[in-house]
Amino acid sequence: MKACIAGTGSYAPARVLTNADLERMVATSDEWIRERTGIRERRIAAIGEACSDLAVQAGKRALTAAGLAATDLDMILVATCTGDYPLPATACLVQHQLGATKAAACDLSAACCGFVYALSVADAYVKNGMRHVLVIGSEVMSAITDWTDRNTCVLFGDGAGAVVVRASDGERGILSTHLRSDGALCELIMVPGGGSRTPPSEKVLAERLQYIKMKGNETFKVAVRTLEEIARATLSANGLRVEDLDLYVPHQANVRILKAVMERLGLPIEKVLLNLDRYGNTSAASIPIALDEAVREGRIKDGSLVMLGAFGAGLTWASAVIRW
Ligand code: UT7
C-alpha cells in the first residue's frame, strides 16, 4: 500500500520586494544578487500577516484541488521555523481557521527540510490507516531576517505550499523518503537568541540575536555535497537512473548550488523546477510552492516521476521520490 499526493496548493503574500528595493536598504546590487543567487524578487508578508494566515490559504487550495472538505482531514502537519507563536503550534491555528474539526494538528521543525520530513510523517500515517493528512510548509522568513545584514537579507522570502496525502489506489504514490541530519553542523545556519538557551532579553535585541545568522560559503559547499549524496541514494534505493526522472524539485536556496548539483548528477536544466528568481528562499515552503506551480503549469502530470531534494539548518537534508 502506498500514500499519494491528492492535491496541491500554494499562496504567496501580495507585496513584492525587488533587488532594486534592497539596493536602497543595504550595500548590495541587483547584479550581485542575481549572479550570486539567481534571485530577482521575493514576496513579503504584510504587517500582521502571520505564518498561519499563509498556511490557511495554501491549505484551502490544496483541499480544493483534492476535492475534499476540511472536515475530511484526520491530521494537519505544518512544517515551519517561523510559527505565529512559540506556543501553541501553528497547525492548531490552521486547524481552527480551516474548520478541520476532526483533525489532529502539530508542527514539525526541520528548517528548509521541514516539508520533506513532514511528507514522510504523512506517508507513514497514511500507510498505517489514516485517511487524509494535510501537509503544509509555511514561512514568514521576513520576521527572522535582519534587514541590516546584506549577507542574509537578500536571500529569503515568505510563502506557503500545501499537499493533501491520502492512500493510493494504484501504482502512483510516494515511492520512498530519505531523511538525514548532522547536528555537528548546527552553527552553519542558526537563530541564536530567543530560545531556552538565550531567552529574549534586551541583550538579545541589542545584539540582534533574534535574527537568522548563516555561514553562507560553508553552507553552500555542504549543500552541494548533501544534495548530490541523497539524490544518488534515493535513485539507487528505487533502482532508478537519473534519466528516469521527469522532474527534480529541489529546495530553492541558490541557483548556483542547484546548477552544481545538476552538473554532478548529469541532470539537464529542463528537468529541474527553478522558481527562486520570483520567491527567494522560502525555507519549508519552497518545495510545496514549486510542486504546486509544476502541477498547475502541467510540468507534473499523472504518471510523472518526481524527485524532491532539500537541505537546511540543523543540518538536515532529505529527499523523496514520487510517482504522480
Ligand atoms: O536554505 C538555507 C540554506 N542556505 C543557503 O543555501 C545559502 C548558501 N550560501 C549561499 O547561497 C552563498 O554562500 C551566498 C549567496 C550567501 C553568498 O555567496 P558567496 O559566493 O558564497 O559569497 P561570499 O559569502 O564568499 O562573499 C563574497 C563577497 C564578500 O565580500 P568580500 O569579503 O569578498 O569583500 C561579501 O561581503 O560578497 C559580499 N557580499 C555581498 N555583496 C553585495 C555578501 N552579501 C552581499 C550582498 N551584496 N548582498
Coordinates of all heavy atoms in Angstrom, one line a residue, residues 51 72 93 111 118 124 156 238:
C51 N 2.3 33.3 9.9 CA 2.6 32.0 9.3 C 1.2 31.3 9.0 O 1.0 30.7 8.0 CB 3.5 31.2 10.2 SG 3.9 29.6 9.6
D72 N -12.8 16.4 6.2 CA -12.3 15.1 5.8 C -10.9 14.8 6.4 O -10.4 13.7 6.3 CB -12.2 15.0 4.3 CG -13.6 15.0 3.6 OD1 -14.5 14.4 4.2 OD2 -13.7 15.6 2.5
L93 N -3.8 26.6 15.0 CA -4.4 27.8 14.5 C -5.0 27.5 13.1 O -6.1 27.9 12.7 CB -3.5 28.9 14.4 CG -2.7 29.1 15.7 CD1 -1.6 30.2 15.5 CD2 -3.6 29.5 16.9
A111 N 13.6 23.1 9.6 CA 14.0 24.2 8.8 C 13.6 23.9 7.3 O 12.5 23.6 7.1 CB 15.5 24.4 9.0
A118 N 8.0 16.3 6.9 CA 6.5 16.2 7.2 C 5.8 15.3 6.2 O 4.9 14.5 6.6 CB 5.9 17.6 7.3
A124 N 3.9 7.8 6.4 CA 3.8 6.7 7.4 C 2.4 6.6 8.0 O 1.9 5.5 8.2 CB 4.9 6.9 8.5
F156 N 16.0 35.6 1.5 CA 14.8 34.9 2.0 C 13.5 35.6 1.5 O 13.5 36.8 1.2 CB 14.8 34.8 3.5 CG 16.0 34.0 4.0 CD1 17.1 34.6 4.6 CD2 16.0 32.6 3.9 CE1 18.2 33.8 5.0 CE2 17.0 31.8 4.3 CZ 18.2 32.4 4.9
N238 N 15.6 2.9 -5.2 CA 14.4 2.6 -6.1 C 14.8 1.9 -7.4 O 13.9 1.7 -8.2 CB 13.6 3.9 -6.3 CG 12.9 4.4 -5.0 OD1 11.9 3.8 -4.6 ND2 13.5 5.4 -4.4

